[in-house]
Amino acid sequence: MKHLLGTKGMTREDAVLILDTAAQMAATQDREIRKLPTLRGKTVVNLFFEDSTRTRISFEAAAKRLSADVINFSAKGSSVSKGESLKDTALTLQAMGADAVVVRHWASGAAYQLAHGGWLHGSVLNAGDGTHEHPTQALLDAFTMRKHLMNTDGTGVDGKGLDGLRVAIVGDVLHSRVARSNMHLLTTLGASVALVAPPTLLPVGMDSWPVDVFHGLDDALDAQPIDAVMMLRVQRERMTGGGASFFPSPAEYTRMFGLDGQRMARLADNGIVMHPGPMNRGLEISAEAADSPRSVIVEQVANGVAVRMASLYLLLAGEEQS
Ligand code: NCD
């Protein structure tokens, strides 16, 4: 693996390798000294063109725990806001000796362009590009599901994926790179996926997707027991243009698609509640659901560091072994 751009097309073997490596990384994080010398001398640049808190600090923590040097490059207040192109930014990072660039960008395809533009020699990790992909989020979600719902101690020694698991992804699928990356990875790992959204918040051309579609959360819960329900943030900042209205009112959205205590009680026996954050409490998820013992939302954040450590390790340290 040279880059981590998406989960579409990722083999099951590679996905399981990342998850298994993440389990090893997570185990090192219980030790008194959590820092590993693995990436000493390597430079990781966090290149963020879009606001982010948890993903950026998660990548930063991951790189630092592997002893890499970290440079945070936020496009706001930088020469990018003066009109510098992605190409010129990349050439600058190359000149600074970046071994890996973690990029978040509002344009779908930006990570691919950075990886294949010929401007950088290092690895590119996609930390979210437009509405396209967010592979480390999907991997940390899979890691969390495997830990809670699969019959292993989380190390997956038998190479197990998520076979037979039933996952519902609920809400603003249209704008969600998290939903896309999860759909690809979950199906590769053997889970079945139900997308639950109003027709206005589903992308066109979905017929080829290997998913079941429901237009109400109750319908999805009626159809089959759900092992993991993944609530998506309603991305109001992407709902611009033409005064478009994607649902009648927030109250109506909550009524059809919100997760509350009653709906949560209808999950499968050990069913878990997930959300990539940041949450709109009271809109897509109630406080009762977000804070319940079934909620693994805070744990997803912790698992994100282990998954990003594994990804950086496999891209940067792995190249020397092969
Ligand atoms: C997601 C993102 O930015 O794509 N959040 C995240 O990475 N923590 C989802 C979202 O913003 O709704």
Side-chain angles (χ1 to χ4, degrees):
M1 270 181 277
K2 163 89 175 167
H3 305 293
L4 180 56
L5 302 178
T7 56
K8 187 176 182 187
M10 181 183 280
T11 63
R12 181 177 168 118
E13 201 186 357
D14 279 347
V16 168
L17 175 66
I18 297 173
L19 297 179
D20 285 348
T21 308
Q24 291 168 6
M25 292 296 175
T28 68
Q29 297 307 294
D30 298 332
R31 297 184 195 154
E32 201 179 329
I33 296 172
R34 292 189 291 185
K35 201 158 172 158
L36 307 174
T38 326
L39 295 185
R40 202 152 49 192
K42 302 272 188 192
T43 298
V44 175
V45 177
N46 280 323
L47 176 62
F48 277 64
F49 292 87
E50 228 184 36
D51 290 335
S52 163
T53 318
R54 70 201 76 212
T55 304
R56 189 187 59 69
I57 59 178
S58 180
F59 267 109
E60 183 172 353
K64 285 184 170 164
R65 293 203 189 148
L66 294 171
S67 303
D69 295 321
V70 181
I71 299 173
N72 287 313
F73 186 142
S74 160
K76 275 196 183 143
S78 74
S79 48
V80 170
S81 57
K82 298 178 188 161
E84 188 177 69
S85 68
L86 189 61
K87 174 180 172 178
D88 287 323
T89 305
L91 291 173
T92 304
L93 301 180
Q94 176 59 28
M96 286 178 187
D99 296 292
V101 177
V102 176
V103 62
R104 168 165 289 195
H105 201 287
W106 37 264
S108 301
Y112 183 91
Q113 204 185 359
L114 202 59
H116 298 290
W119 314 313
L120 281 175
H121 297 158
S123 295
V124 174
L125 292 93
N126 184 3
D129 63 324
T131 60
H132 180 223
E133 282 247 29
H134 191 353
T136 57
Q137 178 70 42
L139 285 158
L140 77 87
D141 290 335
F143 183 87
T144 307
M145 286 181 217
R146 200 166 75 157
K147 211 164 146 184
H148 278 272
L149 301 169
M150 304 310 285
N151 191 21
T152 68
D153 58 1
T155 52
V157 280
D158 51 356
K160 189 150 57 159
L162 298 172
D163 296 299
L165 219 63
R166 295 150 304 190
V167 182
I169 302 179
V170 187
D172 187 357
V173 176
L174 178 65
H175 299 108
S176 180
R177 51 201 176 204
V178 174
R180 278 176 193 67
S181 287
N182 260 296
M183 182 193 65
H184 295 304
L185 184 64
L186 287 168
T187 46
T188 300
L189 290 172
S192 66
V193 177
L195 294 181
V196 187
T200 48
L201 287 177
L202 285 168
V204 286
M206 272 187 35
D207 304 346
S208 59
W209 294 15
V211 295
D212 294 321
V213 174
F214 298 91
H215 298 306
L217 185 45
D218 284 325
D219 296 342
L221 289 165
D222 287 342
Q224 59 172 356
I226 300 291
D227 301 300
V229 63
M230 187 181 294
M231 305 309 296
L232 300 174
R233 182 174 65 88
V234 177
Q235 300 196 28
R236 287 187 257 213
E237 78 280 14
R238 295 193 211 273
M239 295 185 188
T240 52
S245 174
F246 288 86
F247 45 85
S249 69
E252 180 64 12
Y253 181 90
T254 304
R255 195 177 69 76
M256 292 298 290
F257 301 98
L259 184 69
D260 58 13
Q262 266 183 353
R263 286 179 174 146
M264 185 173 62
R266 299 181 60 201
L267 296 175
D269 280 350
N270 297 316
I272 57 173
V273 172
M274 309 178 74
H275 194 302
M279 288 185 270
N280 293 307
R281 283 176 182 253
L283 182 56
E284 70 261 5
I285 190 166
S286 72
E288 185 186 358
D291 301 328
S292 84
R294 282 180 184 267
S295 165
V296 297
I297 295 169
V298 176
E299 199 192 311
Q300 285 173 266
V301 177
N303 292 340
V305 177
V307 162
R308 290 171 179 129
M309 286 174 77
S311 305
L312 287 166
Y313 169 77
L314 290 167
L315 295 183
L316 292 180
E319 64 184 13
E320 274 150 37
Q321 289 160 8
S322 61

